[in-house]
């Protein structure tokens, strides 16, 4: 029997990896407290509690962080129009700092010396979990089994983990016939590993899951109304769950991509982000309607950096906190209603209105001159042509070619 090493709080999901890790940590001499975050996944939490206790956890925390996940993590990402590498809406990357924040809180509450997680040594989540833990509690000690030779040499693959689970009577949902990993939260479901590691393999797994929806926003989404039956949802969590249901039925938000992990390798992932996709399109539309052109250009650059920081695990870094403040400041005029429809995997914007609109119907009209003199455009064009004309100057003539 190993010498006692103290108490560790394990970020526990109940899946293959963390179930085996719980038992392995006990073998190493740790007292294990299991922490399971309810972040919107479909889970029998009471069954998960009983399983963790049966595996030897001395205590189990099941914490509902779904509301704060939406309000404190998803909403800032919606405001930013956050996309990693032009396609990924950051569902897992946003969830990890939310989960890890509560992990640190429980560790401090219990007076534990260690935290542990089941993130692979090749992935992004190890970085996201640990950077959050160190940012919130610099003296915390992390046990990362998938980076310990005594663990990964004993379990070089999922087959060995499943054999270990069978030996120790650990019930797990993964079988050799379905050897891929799935992660679910309110924002999305992701599938990776196993047969999906071959980028040529066509996934025939489940598809998430013509409705028209009106989405009203005041810096963050505040109300969604179904144009068909008039049903309205107002609270952040209720609104998000409803949009997931509507969009999921129409296969909205499913992508199959190869992305660049922070640790330096490319990986293939399949993501379903129904509500997040609707909100991305709705916010993008109302922002273009209400935001000054030059402010929006700057904000787009900030959003690119924000997405990279979130993906790489720097949610609690000074620079990411600064960006959230800047992006939040840019949203003061982003108020209004967007009407959308979803159909066969697509989101269609049908119309929008806002009390802060910068759209001048009379000014832009082809039928009314409005407060605009077309002759002024001649000088505008001539001045803007100077730069192009200057670049084509013929030095031998000692002057510039006149613009044609």
């Amino acid at each position: 029997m190993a010498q006692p090493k103290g108490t560790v709080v394990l970020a526990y999901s109940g899946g293959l990896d963390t179930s085996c890790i719980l038992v392995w940590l006990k073998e190493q001499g740790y007292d294990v407290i299991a922490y399971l975050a309810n972040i919107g996944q479909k889970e029998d939490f009471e069954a998960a509690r009983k399983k963790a206790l049966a595996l030897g956890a001395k205590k189990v925390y099941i914490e509902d962080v779904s509301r704060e996940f939406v309000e404190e993590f998803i909403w800032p990402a919606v405001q930013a129009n956050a996309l990693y590498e032009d396609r990924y809406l950051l569902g897992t990357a946003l969830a990890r700092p939310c989960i890890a924040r509560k992990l640190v809180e429980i560790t401090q509450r219990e007076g534990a010396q260690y935290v542990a997680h089941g993130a692979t040594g090749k992935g992004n989540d190890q970085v996201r979990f640990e950077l959050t833990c160190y940012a919130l509690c610099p003296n915390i000690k992390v046990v990362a089994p998938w980076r310990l030779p005594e663990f990964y040499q004993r379990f070089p693959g999922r087959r060995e983990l499943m054999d270990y689970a069978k030996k120790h009577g650990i019930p797990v949902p993964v079988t050799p016939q379905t050897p891929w990993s799935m992660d679910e939260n309110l924002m999305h479901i992701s599938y990776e590993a196993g047969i999906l590691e071959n980028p040529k393999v066509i996934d025939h797994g489940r598809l998430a899951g013509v409705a028209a929806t009106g989405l009203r926003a005041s810096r963050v989404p505040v109300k969604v109304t179904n144009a068909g039956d008039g049903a309205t949802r107002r609270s952040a969590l209720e609104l998000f769950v409803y949009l997931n249901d509507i969009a999921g039925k129409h296969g909205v938000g499913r992508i199959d991509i190869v992305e660049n992990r922070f640790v330096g390798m490319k990986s293939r992932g399949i993501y379903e982000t129904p509500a997040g996709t609707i909100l991305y399109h709705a916010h993008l539309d109302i922002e273009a309607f209400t935001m000054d052109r030059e402010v929006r250009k700057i904000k787009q650059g900030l959003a690119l950096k924000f997405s990279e920081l979130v993906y790489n695990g720097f949610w609690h870094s000074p620079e990411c906190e600064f960006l959230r403040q800047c992006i939040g400041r840019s949203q003061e005029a982003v108020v209004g209603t967007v009407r959308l429809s979803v159909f066969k995997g697509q989101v269609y914007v049908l119309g929008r209105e806002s009390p802060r609109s910068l759209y001048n119907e009379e000014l832009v009209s082809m039928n009314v001159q409005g407060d605009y003199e077309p002759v002024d455009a001649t000088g505008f064009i001539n001045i803007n042509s100077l730069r192009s004309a200057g670049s084509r100057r013929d030095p031998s003539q000692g002057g510039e070619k006149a613009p044609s």
Side-chain angles (χ1 to χ4, degrees):
M1 190 70 180
Q3 291 295 316
K5 294 181 179 176
T7 300
V8 60
V9 181
L10 171 65
Y12 176 76
S13 70
L16 174 65
D17 289 34
T18 56
S19 295
C20 291
I21 285 171
L22 194 161
V23 175
W24 182 84
L25 286 169
K26 285 189 61 64
E27 285 182 350
Q28 307 310 302
Y30 293 99
D31 289 326
V32 181
I33 295 173
Y35 151 58
L36 175 58
N38 174 359
I39 201 158
Q41 72 272 35
K42 296 175 180 65
E43 178 90 45
D44 185 338
F45 292 102
E46 191 52 40
R49 181 195 303 277
K50 291 178 180 177
K51 177 180 174 180
L53 291 171
L55 294 178
K58 74 172 188 177
K59 187 182 290 188
V60 179
Y61 281 88
I62 297 177
E63 299 287 321
D64 188 345
V65 296
S66 51
R67 183 187 59 79
E68 60 199 75
F69 179 42
V70 176
E71 294 179 350
E72 299 177 38
F73 294 86
I74 294 177
W75 279 176
V78 170
Q79 288 184 325
N81 303 321
L83 276 181
Y84 179 71
E85 295 188 338
D86 304 316
R87 292 188 286 176
Y88 175 39
L89 285 164
L90 298 166
T92 299
L94 289 165
R96 294 312 186 230
C98 181
I99 294 170
R101 185 173 69 179
K102 186 65 70 173
L103 177 66
V104 171
E105 180 184 313
I106 292 170
T107 302
Q108 293 174 326
R109 189 188 313 168
E110 288 289 335
Q113 300 91 336
Y114 305 91
V115 295
H117 60 76
T120 173
K122 290 185 176 181
N124 297 307
D125 282 344
Q126 58 180 338
V127 183
R128 295 163 180 162
F129 275 124
E130 294 181 37
L131 286 182
T132 296
C133 290
Y134 289 132
L136 300 178
C137 185
N139 296 322
I140 205 162
K141 297 176 181 178
V142 177
V143 180
W146 282 115
R147 296 206 306 271
L148 298 174
E150 60 267 33
F151 186 88
Y152 67 73
Q153 289 175 3
R154 182 177 177 183
F155 305 109
R158 297 179 78 75
R159 167 66 70 178
E160 289 77 13
L161 273 181
M162 286 187 274
D163 290 344
Y164 181 81
K166 183 177 180 180
K167 177 182 177 181
H168 290 274
I170 303 170
V172 291
V174 178
T175 69
Q177 287 73 40
T178 57
W180 56 73
S181 174
M182 185 185 87
D183 181 70
E184 180 183 13
N185 61 50
L186 267 174
M187 183 68 162
H188 83 173
I189 300 175
S190 67
Y191 304 89
E192 62 180 4
I195 62 171
L196 301 180
E197 288 173 353
N198 182 343
K200 295 187 295 185
V201 168
I202 298 174
D203 168 53
H204 295 289
R206 83 174 184 89
L207 186 64
V210 177
T213 298
L215 186 67
R216 181 167 167 262
S218 179
R219 302 177 184 86
V220 298
V222 294
K223 183 175 75 172
V224 61
T225 302
N226 188 304
D229 61 16
T232 295
R233 308 291 190 279
R234 294 180 184 274
S235 76
L237 185 56
E238 184 184 34
L239 180 158
F240 203 84
V241 169
Y242 179 69
L243 287 179
N244 266 335
D245 181 58
I246 289 288
K249 289 176 180 177
H250 293 273
V252 168
R254 185 179 175 93
I255 60 172
D256 185 330
I257 66 171
V258 173
E259 68 199 62
N260 288 294
R261 287 180 179 170
F262 187 30
V263 295
M265 64 188 75
K266 291 184 183 291
S267 66
R268 190 254 190 112
I270 296 169
Y271 302 109
E272 296 173 3
T273 317
T277 301
I278 284 185
L279 292 171
Y280 174 81
H281 288 285
H283 181 265
L284 199 64
D285 188 79
I286 201 67
E287 188 176 75
F289 195 50
T290 57
M291 185 177 285
D292 175 79
R293 179 183 71 178
E294 298 305 316
V295 172
R296 189 164 183 267
K297 286 179 183 177
I298 294 171
K299 192 256 180 178
Q300 285 175 307
L302 297 180
L304 189 66
K305 184 62 178 177
F306 172 81
S307 302
E308 179 185 290
L309 288 171
V310 172
Y311 184 87
N312 292 344
F314 289 94
W315 180 272
H316 290 288
S317 67
E319 63 270 30
C320 194
E321 291 178 0
F322 172 73
L323 281 179
R324 290 200 298 276
Q325 291 289 326
C326 292
I327 291 169
R329 171 70 174 78
S330 77
Q331 300 297 294
E332 291 183 358
V334 183
V335 177
T337 301
V338 183
R339 174 104 177 227
L340 312 100
S341 68
V342 292
F343 183 65
K344 290 188 175 181
Q346 299 299 314
V347 178
Y348 301 94
V349 175
L350 306 177
R352 78 288 296 159
E353 60 180 332
S354 169
R356 302 293 297 273
S357 168
L358 298 181
Y359 181 88
N360 186 323
E361 189 173 350
E362 181 181 87
L363 183 62
V364 79
S365 173
M366 295 295 185
N367 299 313
V368 179
Q369 182 170 316
D371 188 20
Y372 180 80
E373 291 292 338
V375 70
D376 292 342
T378 301
F380 175 80
I381 294 167
N382 286 340
I383 288 173
N384 276 280
S385 74
L386 290 176
R387 182 166 55 89
S388 297
S391 68
R392 293 183 288 117
R393 182 176 62 85
D394 184 350
S396 67
Q397 300 299 314
E400 298 177 352
K401 293 183 178 179
S404 58

